[in-house]
Amino acid sequence: MDRRVTALLLVAGLALCALPACLADTTIDATATPKVDNGVASGHATTTDATSIHREKESISNTANRIRAGAEEFAFQAEVSRLMDIIINSLYSNKDIFLRELISNASDALDKIRFLSLTDKAQLGEGETANLEIKIWLDDVNKTLYIRDRGIGMTKDDLIKNLGTIAKSGTSAFLEQMQKGGDMNLIGQFGVGFYSVYLVADYVEVISKHNDDTQYIWASTADGSFSISEDKENEQLGRGTLIKIHLKEEAQEYATEAKLKELVQRYSEFINFPIYLQTEKEVEVPVEEEAEEAKEDKEEEAEEAEEEDEGAEDDEQETKEEEEKPKATRKEKRVEWDLLNDNKAIWLRKPSEVTDEEYQKFYKAVSKDYSDALSYTHFRAEGDVEFRSILYIPSISPYDFYDKYYEKAQNGLKLYVRRVFISDDMKELIPRYLSFVKGIVDSDTLPLNVSREMLQQEAALKTIKKKVVRKVLDIIKKMSETEVKCKAMEEKGETEGKPTEKDCGQYGKFWEQFGRSIKLGIIEDSTNRNRLAKLLRVYTSKSGDKLTTLDEYISRMKEGQKSIYYLAGASKEEVANSPHLERLLRKGYEVIYFTDVLDEYVMGHLLDYDDKKFVNASKDDLKLSDKDEVEKKKDKELKEQFKDLTKWWKKVIDDSRLQAVKISNRLATTPCVVVSGKYGQSANMERIMRAQAFSRSGGSFTPGQRVLEINPRHPLVVALKDKLAAATEDTVDENTIASARLLYETALLESGFVPDDAKSFSQRVYSVLKGNMGIKSLEVQLDDDEAAEEPAAAEATAEETVTSTPEPDAEAKDEL
């Protein structure tokens, strides 16, 4: 890390741009100050760099004013070989990018000659020289890699300035010259990208031919010096540049066709010009058997002379047999040029010009998915940061998408700068919960650091992220609204203007595959929480087997209802049969059934929706919205009548987690229920957290406070109250106490909690069964063998005890 910081400091005063363009330049005034441009696609692209130059001039002016009178001024000194070592080995952390840098330089050179040929066609030349292409090939014997372009080429002076001056950018100067006009979209603007080649090479030769000069060779081992000579040993290029890369021993992996193909398709797939790789392939070719054919011809002539009178049918049969006879073949190695970047950058075209088939084909190329995308959007963003993007919603979620959710890299969205791939692990571009989105973001104005591996301005990324998230949510919202529209039209029986079945079913498929991502978004993204809440789909007590939205729930709310009721559990059946919902369902309230482990966490962040508070039906202090004054008065009288019972019951339970015993307003047919404290964890949440705690070694879990709510109308509760009233607090029999404890523990189970003492609970159940079945004793009569084993076990235990105690004296032995 220190080396990289040092490198950045060393080049801080240099011309900051995106990439090198060391392969070519036009005749430029060497005394002119280069104007840096991060892109020339629009006016906005050049404004940023004009501002940067202005700030640099101000900084220089201020520095000059700070020099004290009489002070001596010195220039910084740098050891060139040391500086080269830092640039090569510190600015770049990944060796693979050397090929990206060199191809980008070649693309720049091709762009320049194409631009100049618009006004002077003679610049382009004729025949093969006019082919604007990039070719790559290998010399396996000498372990040398060749990269050839037919770009503008470099003169001797260009080679000295561009390759001999560290951080000299030919493209930067070229842009300054062309800044007044033309739509140039060049890549390289930082003169250190070329030197990344020394990550894999110990010796590099650059052979270049410019239209205005002869062919020259630039050569260096990056040891602080280079040589230039007129080329009299190589074939004339016509125009352009050939780079000979002599690979290091430790970089021999780049001497394979497969590796080169992988790098080109990863980093330079959408370069404007065709990139060819020379490959060697084995093909089947027919074997030449001239001698045998001549012999067969003579034999055929003799047979024809002897059998002239044979019929036409025999001739036809012989001809058919000759055609069916398999031809002999042999394997032959052939050299071919394979096109590596046949995928086109369709995001540069207008959306109206791209067909659905092209969008789906591009999706499969980008995502490596075999199925079509569920939906997509293609847009161009303008403003402080300009970019183009195509975003896709896949139709199928990866099987391990939610495994190690917070640890995996986010590689669904690819970042390009001027069609050159930068990264696909872009946490800064899209939030984690939307990492299932596939596609590309391509910016002409995004500033990068010198190695193009890290982005410079966080503010620019935040702007892109905000727009990308909004567009993704708009796609999902559109699918959601279409589904709601289809459902409403089906209920009304309308068909006119109804969307297609495919469109109607899109959101259902999306929710099935990525519904959890929406829930994770509600937890993680506070900015878009309300927008995401509109996308939720839930089951309710009135929706049956169909999912419904929160808006649909609100439209069905009872008059005067101010809260949205919900309950979480392991399954819909468990939740529907829960005693917590008895009074709510009898009064006609709709209750949301949550069955996913994320739902409780979601409700911890989503406290309200459309000014309606969410209320957990398993929490204490549940209030029904439609109680009148008469009911409230009656509840108050019941609390007074059962005051002694609730006080005594809490005392006999003797559970530190039992906060209180109260009269319930949620029960109808169940004697009692256990609820969580208002700010505590529900039974379902305790179940989830208990599983998480014990899934980790040494994990622990502490249950929260509980409240026992009793049904004052239930016969068991009334009978318990009567028994307590007939006796004093000190004379209550054990059966009554056991019944109270058994009711509490049964309520714990029915409410979803786990009893702390399962043994005591089971003993109380057995005792009740004993009374019901008229059994006098629960003592088990053992067989003789089992009875004999029991004393033997007891004797063995006693012997162990004796062994561990001091030896008794003689008198004690006699007594024994």
Side-chain angles (χ1 to χ4, degrees), residues 567-571 574-575 580 594-601 616 618 676 681-691 701 751-753:
L567 184 64
S571 65
E574 177 188 310
V575 177
H580 297 97
F594 284 133
T595 57
D596 188 63
V597 292
L598 282 177
D599 292 336
E600 288 264 30
Y601 294 101
N616 190 336
S618 69
S676 305
Q681 296 160 346
S682 67
N684 184 64
M685 193 64 177
E686 283 193 13
R687 175 180 62 84
I688 295 170
M689 294 187 69
R690 192 185 300 273
F701 169 71
S751 303
F753 293 97

Side-chain angles (χ1 to χ4, degrees), residues 96-364:
D96 290 352
I97 54 84
F98 86 93
L99 190 60
R100 177 190 72 183
E101 298 294 319
L102 297 181
I103 290 176
S104 297
N105 291 338
S107 176
D108 281 353
L110 291 166
D111 263 322
K112 290 176 184 178
I113 193 62
R114 183 173 62 178
F115 182 80
L116 295 176
S117 68
L118 295 177
T119 54
D120 184 5
K121 291 185 178 180
Q123 291 278 351
L124 198 59
E126 298 178 354
E128 288 189 2
T129 306
N131 295 333
L132 300 182
E133 61 190 13
I134 302 169
K135 288 188 173 182
I136 304 170
W137 67 94
L138 281 165
D139 181 351
D140 293 333
V141 177
N142 298 315
K143 302 299 179 184
T144 305
L145 175 63
Y146 296 85
I147 301 176
R148 165 82 161 93
D149 70 74
R150 299 184 187 277
I152 193 170
M154 286 180 282
T155 64
K156 180 179 180 180
D157 289 340
D158 293 336
L159 289 170
I160 296 172
K161 287 189 299 181
N162 294 338
L163 302 189
T165 305
I166 299 172
K168 170 66 178 179
S169 171
T171 300
S172 178
F174 184 81
L175 283 172
E176 179 190 3
Q177 194 178 58
M178 299 299 175
Q179 199 169 16
K180 296 181 181 180
D183 183 15
M184 295 293 294
N185 190 10
L186 303 179
I187 302 169
Q189 296 176 36
F190 205 131
V192 297
F194 167 77
Y195 304 107
S196 64
V197 70
Y198 288 102
L199 291 169
V200 299
D202 49 20
Y203 180 59
V204 177
E205 297 175 89
V206 179
I207 304 166
S208 193
K209 172 68 173 69
H210 191 280
N211 286 336
D212 299 336
D213 204 346
T214 57
Q215 187 165 306
Y216 284 91
I217 302 176
W218 178 98
S220 176
T221 58
D223 58 355
S225 64
F226 62 90
S227 64
I228 296 180
S229 60
E230 187 174 344
D231 186 9
K232 297 180 179 179
E233 56 192 79
N234 295 297
E235 182 182 349
Q236 287 297 308
L237 300 178
R239 187 195 65 250
T241 300
L242 170 64
I243 303 177
K244 291 183 180 180
I245 304 168
H246 300 268
L247 296 171
K248 298 177 181 178
E249 286 297 326
E250 62 269 24
Q252 293 304 311
E253 61 177 307
Y254 300 100
T256 61
E257 295 175 2
K259 183 65 175 179
L260 295 174
K261 184 176 181 180
E262 175 196 339
L263 295 182
V264 172
Q265 292 182 340
R266 177 173 173 81
Y267 291 105
S268 308
E269 185 178 13
F270 300 107
I271 289 292
N272 276 342
F273 303 97
I275 303 172
Y276 294 97
L277 175 65
Q278 189 182 73
T279 59
E280 191 176 74
K281 298 180 180 178
E282 284 190 351
V283 295
E284 297 283 344
V285 295
V287 178
E288 296 180 1
E289 299 175 329
E290 297 179 358
E292 291 184 6
E293 287 177 1
K295 183 178 179 181
E296 289 176 359
D297 290 341
K298 291 181 180 179
E299 290 177 355
E300 287 177 3
E301 289 177 1
E303 289 176 0
E304 288 176 1
E306 294 175 358
E307 302 175 358
E308 290 179 355
D309 57 341
E310 288 191 1
E313 293 182 1
D314 293 339
D315 292 338
E316 290 179 3
Q317 183 67 24
E318 289 176 3
T319 304
K320 186 177 180 181
E321 288 177 356
E322 287 180 6
E323 291 176 354
E324 292 178 352
K325 182 180 179 182
K327 296 181 179 180
T329 60
R330 61 181 176 85
K331 290 184 178 180
E332 183 179 283
K333 289 186 177 181
R334 290 185 179 179
V335 174
E336 297 181 359
W337 290 99
D338 285 351
L339 179 63
L340 301 183
N341 59 334
D342 54 343
N343 289 319
K344 304 301 180 184
I346 64 171
W347 65 82
L348 299 177
R349 295 156 56 185
K350 294 180 180 179
S352 58
E353 298 174 354
V354 186
T355 64
D356 180 72
E357 184 180 353
E358 288 177 307
Y359 278 123
Q360 296 293 359
K361 181 182 178 182
F362 183 74
Y363 165 72
K364 292 173 182 177

Side-chain angles (χ1 to χ4, degrees), residues 564-581:
I564 300 174
Y565 298 107
Y566 72 90
L567 184 64
S571 65
K572 283 199 302 178
E573 292 74 17
E574 177 188 310
V575 177
N577 296 322
S578 173
H580 297 97
L581 305 182

Side-chain angles (χ1 to χ4, degrees), residues 8-26:
L8 291 174
L9 291 173
L10 284 170
V11 298
L14 303 176
L16 292 176
C17 329
L19 282 177
C22 358
L23 299 184
D25 205 344
T26 53

